[in-house]
Amino acid sequence: MRGPLTSGCKLLGSRDCQQAWICPPDLARCQPHSEETETERDVAEVWLSPEQSACSTSYCLSKAMQLALLCPGTDSRMYSTPPRERQLERVAVMGGTHGNELCSIYLVKHWLQGPSELQRGTFAATPFLANPKATKHCIRYVSQDLNRSFTRAFLTSQDTRDGPYEVRQAQEINQLLGPKGSADAFDFILALHNTVSNMAACLISDSEENIFTMHTCHYIQKHTQSPCPIYLYGCPGQESYALQSVAKNGLGLPPSSHPHRVLRADVLSHMRALVACGLDFNDLFNQGTSFPAFDIVAYKIIEPVDFPRSPCGELLGFVHPRLQDKDFFPLKPGDPIFQLFSGEEIFYEGDATIYPAFINEASYCEKGAAFYKMKKCTFSIPPLEAPVASAP
Amino acid sequence: MILRGPGKQRGLTGPVPDSGTQAGKETLEDLPYEVVRAQEIHLLFGPKGSKDAYDVILDLHNTTANMGCTLILESSKNDLLIQMFHYIKNSLAPLPCFVYLIDHPSLKYATTRSVAKHPVGVEVGPQPQGVLRADILDQMRRIVQHALDFIQCFNEGKEFPACSLEVYQVMEKIDYPRKENGEIAAVIHPRLQDQDWKPLNPGDPVFLTLDGKTIPFDGDSTVYPVFVNEAAYYEKGEAFAKTVKVTLTARSLNSLSP
């Protein structure tokens, strides 16, 4: 029997030479690549006991990665690698998650009329308009942010008839593209957004542990002209709440510096190219391509920083001009971050350099975020083995 | 003439005056919120067109269009405002400041500021909706400061010699190409995007479809587009406004000469 992969992991059981493990959610992820141990180098399949089979699937473990299982009643994080026996054929491209992000809406409506651009040799991606009511009124949401509505609590909520529109919509999407966490869920969701922040062609994922998504990001970075920083929004122990979490793998694309309620040709073109690139990668994978391991830089969320506010919540100042538009630039202790209406400056008081993102995003003011503090990390991503072709 | 600051205070709780119009006959509950609000402002700062109306209203706006610092003039014959705008432009230099003249029989719109005798529109962009940018805020603050400085100088009797002012006068508003269901069929072409106040010549690209088709400008002469891709104007059917350059003149103010 192999020893525990890291301290804190719990062995569920073993059969033959195979083992099933659960790792605790607070396991540190952002750490330098350690020396390989024999255990870490081994490839093992995971199986679940019958009572856990509702969310069972099998995964491969390769160097520097641990594995965990998403099971009801635990807070373990899911590591998602496509099983070698399956291609990724059920792919959705989602626009209009927020009804005022016009580029995604305009593109999806175009593809709904003629989806040939989303077709590849091994699959055809489905375009989907996520929030029709908000889209109709050109507002971010009707009752609550749809992109925060995909937690288990909302998806299993019973009495939704008089409840928020977006909860009903989330449940409908979960039925169509999920159920979340199940073997029947879509293989991949590309979720299109816009942001007013200066974040280049940011690629948004829950976690570096989703190997397929990280390989997709790496491929996009290598095949597009503009920078594509990777933004990881998952927190240990926190359930993934975004729309793309319905699928087994998901990626958010918010090409940036784009006002809400506006259509810019350059951003439309850029978004289209990013989608094409992501679908190309999926197709290459399905055709039987294996992709080698690599190291990649990504920015992992720490916490939001709110605007300076009065006791009743009114803004007392704004993002400092030296911080404005400086997404993913280093922010050091003592650097200015806000300016009050009175003229006084406020400085960053942290202990270490961080990397701010979503600086002055319009829709985050209500969420108490003038910007998000991010930690710059380097992750070693294992190779992605080609799938075995699907059975006819 | 001395420009006054706040003088008479009008209550907000008085009844809506019955002007004899359809709006005046309806109850408050029937009216759209903004109509009720317009009537309250009319009470506070008007009545519009009367001698009791406020002297000046500075009406502050932002735009998603790349218009920089813009002053909006409602009448080509308002010497006081032509002089004020001339003063503001000179004070802001070298920061550019453009003047948009909306004196047009059908395109002039009924603004909040039109309640006052001298309505001043201030438009600063580009700024996304829902966002407060330090640079845009600073520009707007400077415009307001210079406008108030002008009023102070005028009230103190300072002489302003006759001047001329280059303005961009609205000629026509151009909508997006649309489908039968009203949805936009093409977007502002990348070569027009952000090119407010720059010459647009016949044959220059203005729109681009998702199929890659470019729609050129089919006008007879060069125009100067403004409010290019303003978010709030999609619903008003305005992708941009065509303007022409005009030079206005204003007589001297506070002149001691006969």
Side-chain angles (χ1 to χ4, degrees):
Chain A
M1 178 181 286
R2 302 185 189 96
L5 302 170
T6 61
S7 62
C9 286
K10 182 180 162 185
L11 178 65
L12 288 176
S14 62
R15 180 180 65 193
D16 298 329
C17 297
Q18 298 171 334
Q19 296 174 340
W21 292 85
I22 281 184
C23 294
D26 60 349
L27 202 59
R29 300 285 174 236
C30 184
Q31 50 194 327
H33 175 61
S34 58
E35 226 172 290
E36 291 176 69
T37 66
E38 186 175 353
T39 301
E40 289 168 334
R41 228 180 11 245
D42 287 342
V43 175
E45 280 197 306
V46 174
W47 59 275
L48 297 175
S49 56
E51 57 269 21
Q52 289 149 341
S53 61
C55 60
S56 68
T57 184
S58 62
Y59 296 95
C60 292
L61 169 67
S62 52
K63 88 173 174 182
M65 297 302 297
Q66 301 99 16
L67 60 90
L69 304 160
L70 182 68
C71 300
T74 73
D75 291 327
S76 302
R77 183 173 293 280
M78 171 176 270
Y79 289 74
S80 175
T81 323
R84 292 194 63 184
E85 64 273 19
R86 278 202 60 205
Q87 298 171 321
L88 272 64
E89 293 170 349
R90 300 172 73 221
V91 177
V93 179
M94 309 291 287
T97 301
H98 299 121
N100 58 354
E101 294 174 359
L102 294 194
C103 278
S104 71
I105 292 163
Y106 192 57
L107 275 176
V108 163
K109 284 187 175 180
H110 177 72
W111 290 327
L112 282 168
Q113 290 174 356
S116 59
E117 195 173 319
L118 302 181
Q119 291 169 354
R120 296 294 184 274
T122 60
F123 71 98
T126 306
F128 195 88
L129 211 55
N131 195 337
K133 211 169 180 182
T135 296
K136 185 179 174 187
H137 296 288
C138 202
I139 50 179
R140 182 174 173 87
Y141 56 80
V142 175
S143 306
Q144 69 180 53
D145 194 332
L146 179 63
N147 212 30
R148 302 292 184 276
S149 303
F150 289 88
T151 60
R152 194 174 293 125
F154 285 127
L155 293 179
T156 56
S157 165
Q158 295 295 318
D159 188 15
T160 58
R161 196 168 48 173
D162 298 321
Y165 165 76
E166 276 82 9
V167 172
R168 299 199 298 279
Q169 191 62 15
Q171 292 182 354
E172 199 171 307
I173 290 170
N174 192 44
Q175 275 190 316
L176 278 167
L177 306 182
K180 177 175 172 175
S182 77
D184 293 329
F186 259 54
D187 297 311
F188 200 90
I189 287 177
L190 268 170
L192 308 184
H193 293 271
N194 286 124
T195 174
V196 309
S197 305
N198 189 28
M199 290 168 66
C202 187
L203 306 173
I204 298 195
S205 178
D206 177 27
S207 162
E208 74 282 4
E209 294 153 6
N210 189 311
I211 311 305
F212 185 84
T213 301
M214 294 306 288
H215 273 267
T216 306
C217 291
H218 189 234
Y219 182 87
I220 292 174
Q221 285 183 337
K222 288 198 305 180
H223 290 84
T224 53
Q225 301 285 341
S226 62
C228 297
I230 298 171
Y231 177 103
L232 303 174
Y233 67 90
C235 295
Q238 181 191 58
E239 187 187 356
S240 184
Y241 49 73
L243 188 152
Q244 61 255 37
S245 68
V246 170
K248 299 189 182 79
N249 309 279
L251 184 64
L253 296 178
S256 69
S257 297
H258 190 278
H260 298 310
R261 310 185 81 219
V262 162
L263 276 167
R264 282 187 65 111
D266 51 354
V267 175
L268 267 173
S269 168
H270 199 185
M271 184 180 270
R272 221 169 165 176
L274 291 171
V275 169
C277 207
L279 298 183
D280 287 345
F281 175 77
N282 202 60
D283 193 40
L284 279 172
F285 173 77
N286 286 349
Q287 287 174 27
T289 311
S290 294
F291 296 90
F294 57 90
D295 286 348
I296 196 165
V297 170
Y299 297 85
K300 206 161 172 69
I301 200 169
I302 301 173
E303 62 183 3
V305 176
D306 197 5
F307 290 93
R309 292 182 188 266
S310 68
C312 61
E314 297 277 334
L315 290 185
L316 292 176
F318 42 89
V319 170
H320 197 280
R322 278 174 50 188
L323 178 61
Q324 180 68 53
D325 299 332
K326 296 294 194 294
D327 302 74
F328 300 116
F329 281 74
L331 180 69
K332 300 182 292 300
D335 285 347
I337 50 174
F338 296 116
Q339 189 165 3
L340 302 186
F341 295 120
S342 59
E344 185 188 332
E345 292 176 310
I346 295 178
F347 304 92
Y348 173 52
E349 293 179 349
D351 301 324
T353 296
I354 56 100
Y355 294 79
F358 281 116
I359 297 173
N360 219 354
E361 160 53 46
S363 54
Y364 286 175
C365 186
E366 67 171 26
K367 291 176 172 30
F371 63 92
Y372 279 87
K373 287 161 56 177
M374 313 293 289
K375 186 172 180 180
K376 190 175 183 180
C377 305
T378 300
F379 297 106
S380 294
I381 306 300
L384 184 64
E385 302 294 335
V388 175
S390 297
Chain B
M1 173 180 64
I2 301 286
L3 299 178
R4 293 180 290 113
K8 300 175 196 174
Q9 295 298 320
R10 294 170 179 84
L12 282 172
T13 56
V16 172
D18 184 351
S19 64
T21 64
Q22 184 63 33
K25 291 183 170 60
E26 296 173 46
T27 64
L28 277 177
E29 287 77 23
D30 298 328
L31 294 174
Y33 168 76
E34 277 78 8
V35 172
V36 174
R37 197 67 194 129
Q39 295 184 357
E40 286 169 352
I41 291 168
H42 179 74
L43 277 176
L44 267 176
F45 301 104
K48 179 173 174 176
S50 78
K51 62 176 174 52
D52 293 329
Y54 259 55
D55 296 307
V56 179
I57 287 178
L58 297 175
D59 186 12
L60 310 184
H61 292 266
N62 287 122
T63 174
T64 56
N66 188 29
M67 289 169 65
C69 296
T70 300
L71 300 168
I72 304 183
L73 185 62
E74 304 211 349
S75 165
S76 58
K77 297 180 174 45
N78 190 319
D79 287 332
L80 182 84
L81 288 187
I82 293 170
Q83 287 278 7
M84 179 194 287
F85 287 14
H86 181 259
Y87 177 91
I88 294 171
K89 276 191 71 163
N90 284 351
S91 301
L92 283 175
L95 180 68
C97 180
F98 302 92
V99 179
Y100 180 42
L101 175 64
I102 60 170
D103 192 350
H104 187 284
S106 58
L107 297 180
K108 188 172 182 175
Y109 42 96
T111 56
T112 308
R113 55 188 176 269
S114 66
V115 171
K117 299 189 184 84
H118 304 286
V120 176
V122 177
E123 192 85 53
V124 186
Q127 179 169 268
Q129 292 180 349
V131 167
L132 188 54
R133 282 186 64 105
D135 50 357
I136 301 295
L137 187 70
D138 180 65
Q139 289 170 27
M140 183 173 277
R141 232 170 170 166
R142 289 167 65 185
I143 291 173
V144 171
Q145 187 63 50
H146 295 315
L148 298 180
D149 288 347
F150 171 85
I151 294 170
Q152 178 65 23
C153 290
F154 175 83
N155 283 353
E156 287 172 346
K158 182 183 170 180
E159 182 176 353
F160 293 91
C163 70
S164 62
L165 183 73
E166 182 182 80
V167 305
Y168 293 79
Q169 183 166 22
V170 68
M171 303 306 293
E172 188 183 355
K173 294 183 180 176
I174 306 298
D175 194 6
Y176 293 92
R178 292 186 185 263
K179 303 175 191 172
E180 284 178 7
N181 63 2
E183 288 185 351
I184 287 174
V187 301
I188 295 285
H189 195 279
R191 279 177 48 190
L192 176 59
Q193 180 67 51
D194 300 332
Q195 301 306 304
D196 303 71
W197 312 112
K198 306 265 177 57
L200 178 67
N201 304 304
D204 285 350
V206 288
F207 296 114
L208 181 68
T209 71
L210 271 182
D211 298 322
K213 181 183 163 199
T214 293
I215 298 169
F217 175 50
D218 62 357
D220 301 324
S221 57
T222 296
V223 297
Y224 298 83
V226 300
F227 279 115
V228 177
N229 212 352
E230 159 55 46
Y233 288 174
Y234 281 53
E235 65 173 31
K236 290 179 166 50
E238 182 179 338
F240 63 95
K242 287 161 46 178
T243 72
V244 292
K245 275 195 207 177
V246 171
T247 300
L248 302 181
T249 57
R251 63 175 173 80
S252 63
L253 299 178
N254 292 339
S255 174
L256 298 176
S257 308

